[in-house]
Amino acid sequence: LLRFAGRPEAKLARGTFDLQAGRLNDALEAFRQAKKLLESAKAPPRRIAYATGLLGMTELEAGRLDAARALLTEATRLDPFQADLWVSLADVEVRRVDNAAALAAASRATELDPVYAYNWLVLGEVAQALGKRQVARKAFETYLRLEKRESVEYVQGLLKQL
C-alpha cells in the first residue's frame, strides 16, 4: 500500500479492509475520499462507479437504504455494465420492499453475468415474492446448476414451495 499512498487505490483498499472489519464509518470515509480523488483526476466512469458502488454497499450494510439506493443508482448510471452494482441495487430494493424495482435490477444482473449464481438466487427470491412462479422456478433451477455449496438445500426448499 505504501506505493499507492495518497492514491485512490490506497483509499479503496483501506475502505475494503475497514468494511470487512465492521468499521463502517471509516470505510465510508475512505470510499468517499477515493471517489473524490477519482472524480478530480477525471478517471474513467467505470472506476468512479466502482468507488460509488462500494459507498452504496457500505450504506446498505449500515442499514441506510435511501443513501444506498441513491449511490447504487448513481453507480449503475456511471457504468451500467457492472453486474455486482445491479445485484446490490436489487438487494437494496428488496429491503425497501420495492419488489418491482428489485426484479428489474436482478434481471439486469443476470443478463450481465449469467454465470454468477447469487444473481439468480436474488432474481428467484424477488420473482417468488411477486408471484412470478415461472420466473422464480427458472432462476432457482439456474442457481442450482451453478451453485455447488450448502445454500443449495435452501433453494431446493424454495422450489418445493412453488
Side-chain angles (χ1 to χ4, degrees):
L1 280 179
L2 289 178
R3 71 181 178 142
F4 293 117
R7 295 185 50 199
E9 293 83 358
K11 302 297 183 188
L12 291 169
R14 180 82 232 175
T16 301
F17 178 78
D18 287 336
L19 179 59
Q20 291 173 348
R23 294 187 298 269
L24 300 182
N25 289 331
D26 293 339
L28 284 169
E29 183 56 30
F31 293 144
R32 280 188 197 106
Q33 289 174 7
K35 182 178 184 228
K36 185 176 180 178
L37 287 169
L38 290 165
E39 289 171 337
S40 67
K42 300 201 183 314
R46 181 174 185 80
R47 293 190 63 213
I48 298 169
Y50 178 71
T52 306
L54 288 171
L55 272 168
M57 292 175 207
T58 306
E59 291 287 9
L60 175 59
E61 186 72 23
R64 294 186 284 266
L65 301 181
D66 290 338
R69 181 182 195 215
L71 287 161
L72 287 163
T73 298
E74 178 186 351
T76 59
R77 181 186 52 77
L78 287 165
D79 185 359
F81 302 106
Q82 287 191 47
D84 59 325
L85 297 175
W86 287 101
V87 79
S88 294
L89 182 58
D91 285 337
V92 170
E93 299 298 8
V94 164
R95 291 192 196 178
R96 292 181 71 249
V97 195
D98 187 344
N99 289 331
L103 183 68
S107 295
R108 182 70 176 137
T110 60
E111 290 168 13
L112 292 169
D113 190 357
V115 297
Y116 184 49
Y118 182 72
N119 294 344
W120 291 100
L121 177 61
V122 173
L123 179 62
E125 289 174 331
V126 172
Q128 184 178 24
L130 287 170
K132 296 183 178 287
R133 295 169 56 94
Q134 287 184 316
V135 173
R137 182 176 305 282
K138 179 184 179 222
F140 290 146
E141 288 171 349
T142 303
Y143 172 86
L144 290 173
R145 275 196 307 278
L146 296 171
E147 185 59 51
K148 305 292 184 223
R149 294 186 294 204
E150 63 278 348
S151 52
V152 167
E153 291 175 12
Y154 166 73
V155 176
Q156 288 171 334
L158 291 173
L159 272 170
K160 289 179 184 176
Q161 295 175 18
L162 296 175

